[in-house]
Amino acid sequence: MTDRERSTSALLLAEYAQIKDEQRARIGFRDNLLYVTLAAVTAVAAVAAQTDYPQLMLALPVVCLVLGWTHLVNDEKISAIGRYVRTELASRLAEATNVEEQLFGWETYHRSDDRRISRKTTQTVVDLVAFLVIPFAALITFWCHSMDSALLVAVSILEAAGLVVLGVLFLQYAER
């Protein structure tokens, strides 16, 4: 192996280490967003129930939109990092080192088990419940108990539209 090949290999491996660190951090952040969402939903629902102000339920869709969007963006970046490692980085390192076998095998192997589809489907359902069904339930509660303010009704309709867009994006980005 020439000095240039060693140097290129070292740079590509350093890139791999850096990008995997970013992926790991994003996975932790993304996974914690679900817990944050559940805590926020519980807190807002408890306050709304104790104070008998159904208008407070309008806070839930906003919270779920922001946290759901953040979850979705991080999930997409996690997947993009995996795709980049499997396609671009692995082939560049194989070329630089004249290695013919598959590099970074785990990046492909862990995606090939028989239960992957059911896990991904279940995760999509969990995400939709946490970030869409719950805030829609809050909107329905608001619509059933507090339709006296045109401004709040307009806000609730905008929130519903935002949730529909978020739901479509969740379904588009879900790996099938």
Side-chain angles (χ1 to χ4, degrees), residues 33-144:
L33 282 172
L34 196 53
Y35 302 120
V36 170
T37 301
L38 293 175
V41 164
T42 302
V44 170
V47 169
Q50 290 175 354
T51 61
D52 198 33
Y53 287 108
Q55 303 90 326
L56 292 175
M57 296 303 276
L58 291 180
L60 278 180
V62 173
V63 167
C64 290
L65 277 167
V66 170
L67 294 174
W69 174 253
T70 305
H71 183 279
L72 183 66
V73 168
N74 273 283
D75 192 55
E76 193 283 325
K77 294 301 179 213
I78 291 162
S79 295
I81 288 169
R83 273 190 312 277
Y84 175 75
V85 169
R86 283 189 310 277
T87 58
E88 298 294 319
L89 197 56
S91 65
R92 287 173 41 210
L93 184 58
E95 182 182 318
T97 58
N98 296 318
V99 172
E100 293 187 20
E101 62 263 6
Q102 180 185 10
L103 299 174
F104 309 126
W106 175 250
E107 298 294 333
T108 304
Y109 178 79
H110 82 278
R111 301 170 54 83
S112 64
D113 71 283
D114 294 339
R115 295 190 198 130
R116 178 173 170 73
I117 293 172
S118 66
R119 276 197 320 275
K120 294 303 279 184
T121 301
T122 301
Q123 186 60 56
T124 300
V125 168
V126 168
D127 293 344
L128 291 173
V129 168
F131 298 113
L132 296 169
V133 172
I134 292 172
F136 264 116
L139 286 173
I140 291 167
T141 300
F142 170 76
W143 291 329
C144 290

